[in-house]
Amino acid sequence: MNAVRYGDYSRDVSGWFLGMTGAQLALVTLAGVPALLALNAQAWVLFAVWLPVWALLAAVLLVPVRGRAAGRWFADLCLHAIGGAMGWTVFGSRAASGTAERLSEADLPGVLAGIRTHDGPPYGQLFTRPVIVQDSAARTWSAVARIDHPGIGLAELGERDRMGAGLAELCEIAARTELIDVLALQVRTVPDDGAERAAWEQAHTRADAAPLATRVNALLGATLTPAAVRTEAFVTVVVGESRTGRAAKESGGGVDGRARVLHGVMAEVESALRGPVGCTAVTWLDSAALAAAVRTGFAPGDRGQLIAADLAAANGAELATGVPMAAAGPTQARAELRHYVHDSWASVTDTVLLPDSGAVLGALAPVLVPTTAGERRCLTVFLAPLPLDRATRLVGREDMSATTGNELRARMGFRQRARQRRDTERIGAADEKLAAGRALVRPAVAACVTVPATWPVDEHGRRLAASVRAAGFVPLRLDLAQDSGFAAAAIPLGVGLPDRRGRR
């Protein structure tokens, strides 16, 4: 019995004419007008001179180089240079400089600068108060949950397939609500700091213990703890202001009105997570828990101190616990060309491109395996369900583009290649599933490795790319956007990848 291989997907953007978008077609056509005029006037010298220029311009506009066209690379390099000259690539927190006025107000760098957090109204039977995350720049509202899942490593094939079907059902529920913009599933593999073990040993150490047993236990702890890892998972539900505005007014308006709309969505998502997906626990984070999650995202080494303080406070010690939201971000951060430096840590982020041959559920597990002790890996999967009318238009445009391309190739006498036939079949299958009521989902995956800043970060970035390739996927480094990529891959605030979709 073989595991189900999922491969029913196509490119995010398929141009409506020979793979070109409308802007690309217009620019290529305008660049070719001088050649056509020279040909019409029989100015052969001008035609011969302009023809290679036209070909060069078309290559600059159309040929992707590591995910972007050459013209886009030049524009991004100029923008990055301007940002460096203006000081926009360097961040310093207000808490570190002593100018933070409100400790409950988030102070985060880069694309996270527009984040604000609000304590929502009571939710659920226990009347907890999950934090509502507002992104002023993206005009979205989100809630974050910590989940516990038994994993699929030891699951039977039938159980694994049921979990995969449950994830598909979760996406369909998100599409049917017509409120959810993005579901973000984030998994972190964090080096074990030994805080829980140290607290347990302190509570259970006996004065009359055998010296040899004590030495053996200390040796095991010193040897095994640095090599151990801990896994934590988060789910972020993101809804857009444009979708929730009217419903929020009906629920009272303001932050509370939007929180009540979010509560309804959270209940549907939680039921799907506990049911078909197979989660054993779903805990919606309050302000203190979210601040700790954000802080450990930027500084993995701080988790041990936070856990030790919580355990000591639970035993009656009088000391401050947690971290305020104003100090949850880094004290200093700097966006480099190919990596991101935050405090005493450095991170490299890659996007993960889906393979043409498809993948089985859990194929990305090797990406989360550290290659050395002290390395932190993060993986975030963004699932954006599309509304039915938009999905229908998208599939229709892809069908028209594929049909036009196939007819032109047939008229010119070119044989249809296997990949072209497979893409046509995938588009037809997607159309059939849409007609049957299934949802069309736009996925995106970001993987991140974090190491101490004194380590060779480029080498660990290469190891991350090797892990992605070993899993059967294609890595693509987010050059010039490492700060945005890190926020998407390692910080559970619902901030996605840079909204730029090319031909890849």
Side-chain angles (χ1 to χ4, degrees):
M1 182 178 179
N2 296 325
V4 175
R5 180 170 290 273
Y6 300 91
D8 191 10
Y9 47 76
S10 59
R11 291 183 178 181
D12 184 17
V13 175
S14 294
W16 56 272
F17 184 77
L18 295 179
M20 292 185 291
T21 63
Q24 289 174 334
L25 180 61
L27 291 175
V28 171
T29 303
L30 289 175
V33 169
L36 296 176
L37 294 177
L39 180 63
N40 184 54
Q42 297 184 356
W44 305 115
V45 176
L46 179 59
F47 177 77
V49 170
W50 186 255
L51 192 60
V53 176
W54 184 19
L56 179 62
L57 291 175
V60 168
L61 292 172
L62 301 179
V63 177
V65 180
R66 297 183 60 85
R68 302 178 221 179
R72 178 63 69 180
W73 274 112
F74 179 74
D76 290 345
L77 282 171
C78 292
L79 291 176
H80 190 275
I82 293 173
M86 299 295 293
W88 298 336
T89 58
V90 179
F91 169 81
S93 69
R94 291 191 293 268
S97 61
T99 58
E101 298 179 357
R102 297 178 56 187
L103 295 181
S104 60
E105 183 176 346
D107 181 23
L108 301 174
V111 294
L112 300 175
I115 294 294
R116 297 293 180 268
T117 57
H118 310 276
D119 290 327
Y123 167 78
Q125 298 178 350
L126 299 179
F127 295 100
T128 57
R129 296 174 66 90
V131 62
I132 306 301
V133 180
Q134 178 188 6
D135 190 344
S136 303
R139 301 186 70 248
T140 60
W141 303 80
S142 56
V144 186
R146 185 189 301 272
I147 62 174
D148 295 330
H149 193 277
I152 62 175
L154 300 178
E156 298 291 337
L157 291 179
E159 184 180 0
R160 183 179 300 184
D161 293 341
R162 285 193 297 272
M163 291 181 182
L167 183 59
E169 183 178 340
L170 174 62
C171 294
E172 292 174 4
I173 291 174
R176 286 195 294 268
T177 61
E178 297 184 353
L179 292 173
I180 297 178
D181 280 353
V182 176
L183 280 174
L185 310 177
Q186 183 175 118
V187 181
R188 296 177 183 170
T189 302
V190 187
D192 194 357
D193 46 56
E196 289 88 347
R197 175 185 172 87
W200 187 90
E201 287 181 347
Q202 184 179 2
H204 294 83
T205 298
R206 297 175 53 180
D208 57 346
L212 178 60
T214 302
R215 289 198 299 270
V216 169
N217 183 69
L219 180 62
L220 288 175
T223 305
L224 298 180
T225 299
V229 295
R230 181 180 299 274
T231 301
E232 52 187 9
F234 302 92
V235 173
T236 305
V237 181
V238 183
V239 299
E241 175 66 26
S242 59
R243 297 190 183 189
T244 60
R246 182 175 181 181
K249 291 181 180 179
E250 296 174 353
S251 300
V255 175
D256 286 350
R258 288 162 177 80
R260 294 186 183 96
V261 174
L262 259 177
H263 287 176
V265 175
M266 291 158 53
E268 295 187 54
V269 171
E270 182 177 351
S271 63
L273 290 172
R274 292 181 179 272
V277 177
C279 294
T280 57
V282 179
T283 305
W284 297 99
L285 303 184
D286 57 10
S287 296
L290 181 63
V294 172
R295 182 57 191 166
T296 55
F298 280 103
D302 288 2
R303 180 188 178 276
Q305 302 175 10
L306 295 175
I307 294 298
D310 291 339
L311 294 174
N315 292 330
E318 296 183 358
L319 74 167
T321 60
V323 59
M325 185 59 71
T331 56
Q332 292 182 350
R334 184 176 70 256
E336 301 289 350
L337 291 177
R338 305 205 71 196
H339 65 273
Y340 182 56
V341 180
H342 42 99
D343 288 339
S344 59
W345 302 85
S347 299
V348 173
T349 305
D350 288 353
T351 52
V352 180
L353 305 182
L354 299 175
D356 292 335
S357 59
V360 299
L361 189 66
L364 284 169
V367 182
L368 290 168
V369 178
T371 58
T372 185
E375 185 181 86
R376 200 269 304 273
R377 294 285 184 96
C378 297
L379 181 71
T380 304
V381 180
F382 299 93
L383 302 172
L386 300 180
L388 180 59
D389 55 347
R390 186 178 176 184
T392 303
R393 290 196 304 269
L394 179 61
V395 172
R397 187 169 67 244
E398 291 179 347
D399 189 15
M400 183 178 65
S401 177
T403 302
T404 303
N406 292 335
E407 290 182 355
L408 287 177
R409 293 186 192 97
R411 288 178 179 273
M412 290 185 293
F414 293 106
R415 185 172 60 89
Q416 191 178 20
R417 305 296 298 272
R419 177 174 293 185
Q420 296 162 358
R421 289 196 300 270
R422 186 168 61 240
D423 292 342
T424 304
E425 293 173 357
R426 286 176 177 176
I427 294 172
D431 194 15
E432 292 290 338
K433 291 184 178 181
L434 279 179
R438 306 299 293 271
L440 185 64
V441 179
R442 174 181 286 132
V445 184
C448 174
V449 58
T450 301
V451 295
T454 55
W455 290 15
V457 61
D458 290 335
E459 172 62 25
H460 289 275
R462 285 190 290 270
R463 294 181 184 181
L464 175 65
S467 298
V468 174
R469 286 191 293 268
F473 296 80
V474 180
L476 182 62
R477 181 77 67 89
L478 281 177
D479 295 329
L480 307 177
Q482 283 291 310
D483 53 344
S484 302
F486 173 81
I491 309 300
L493 291 176
V495 175
L497 293 171
D499 190 13
R500 177 175 297 164
R501 308 185 184 278
R503 300 179 68 224
R504 293 191 61 179

